[in-house]
Amino acid sequence: MAIDRSLTGVERHFQWDDVIVSKTDLTGKITYANDVFIGISGYTEEELLGAPHSILRHPAMPRCVFKFLWDRIADGHEVFAYVLNRAKTGDHYWVFAHVTPCYDRTGKMVGYHSNRRVPKAEAVATVKPLYETLLNIENQAADRKAGMEQAFAALVKTIGDLGFDSYDRLVMTISR
């Protein structure tokens, strides 16, 4: 089945008390998707299971934020982040994500669990200009890897300039 990946400019919304839930393996392949996730993404459960979570990546979302997220959870830390996702139709939706590592009974990391809620409009308005700046840095570089590294450095610098010791602290502060 061909998937239309064009952007529609239409924002999707979900209810303030809904929670989007997914689980992935260590490589980011989706192993579980709840009904809210299926509904807002526009994909069927069959399309989501086994697909990389990046199937939802919106092109306006800087890759360096995902680098930060994956680096942190791979090191065993939980992460809070604002993420712009793209639905199957090309519509978009913002989420306030909480991602944690999952462990088996022996303490071995086996995957990741993510809960996403409706973000506050003020918080999205705060991160949008930052994400636009980071995306511009990524897009102006000679190659994708260099662009992501330059944008990541800019993200770390911006966080420090704002007086925070981590992206998580920045996110939690604007979430209040």
Side-chain angles (χ1 to χ4, degrees):
M1 166 190 355
I3 297 173
D4 180 9
R5 299 296 287 162
S6 62
L7 300 176
T8 64
V10 174
E11 185 168 1
R12 290 185 174 206
H13 300 276
F14 55 105
Q15 298 299 310
W16 68 270
D17 59 345
D18 281 342
V19 180
I20 298 171
V21 179
S22 63
K23 293 181 183 180
T24 69
D25 64 16
L26 292 174
T27 66
K29 288 188 180 146
I30 300 169
T31 60
Y32 172 79
N34 75 344
D35 290 341
V36 178
F37 182 26
I38 293 166
I40 191 79
S41 74
Y43 289 97
T44 66
E45 183 176 32
E46 293 76 23
E47 291 171 314
L48 289 171
L49 296 182
H53 213 284
S54 61
I55 193 172
L56 302 171
R57 188 181 180 284
H58 193 285
M61 189 68 199
R63 293 179 332 121
C64 68
V65 174
F66 291 115
K67 176 188 174 359
F68 163 79
L69 185 145
W70 284 107
D71 286 354
R72 293 276 297 156
I73 60 174
D75 284 343
H77 301 282
E78 66 182 340
V79 174
F80 293 90
Y82 288 96
V83 178
L84 177 63
N85 286 323
R86 174 171 48 187
K88 179 180 178 179
T89 61
D91 296 351
H92 64 276
Y93 58 100
W94 281 94
V95 298
F96 177 53
H98 178 213
V99 186
T100 60
C102 297
Y103 300 92
D104 68 12
R105 292 181 184 178
T106 67
K108 178 183 173 191
M109 190 183 303
V110 295
Y112 306 107
H113 181 268
S114 179
N115 292 323
R116 277 102 58 210
R117 300 195 71 105
V118 173
K120 290 183 178 178
E122 303 83 16
V124 171
T126 300
V127 298
K128 270 176 111 170
L130 173 60
Y131 286 5
E132 289 169 3
T133 298
L134 297 172
L135 191 63
N136 284 334
I137 294 169
E138 288 180 357
N139 290 336
Q140 290 174 5
D143 66 68
R144 287 174 46 93
K145 184 178 180 185
M148 187 189 54
E149 289 171 358
Q150 291 167 9
F152 188 82
L155 174 61
V156 171
K157 181 179 181 328
T158 300
I159 290 165
D161 290 349
L162 293 172
F164 296 101
D165 61 355
S166 70
Y167 177 81
D168 295 319
R169 295 240 191 259
L170 169 66
V171 167
M172 294 311 290
T173 299
I174 64 176
S175 299
R176 293 183 183 153

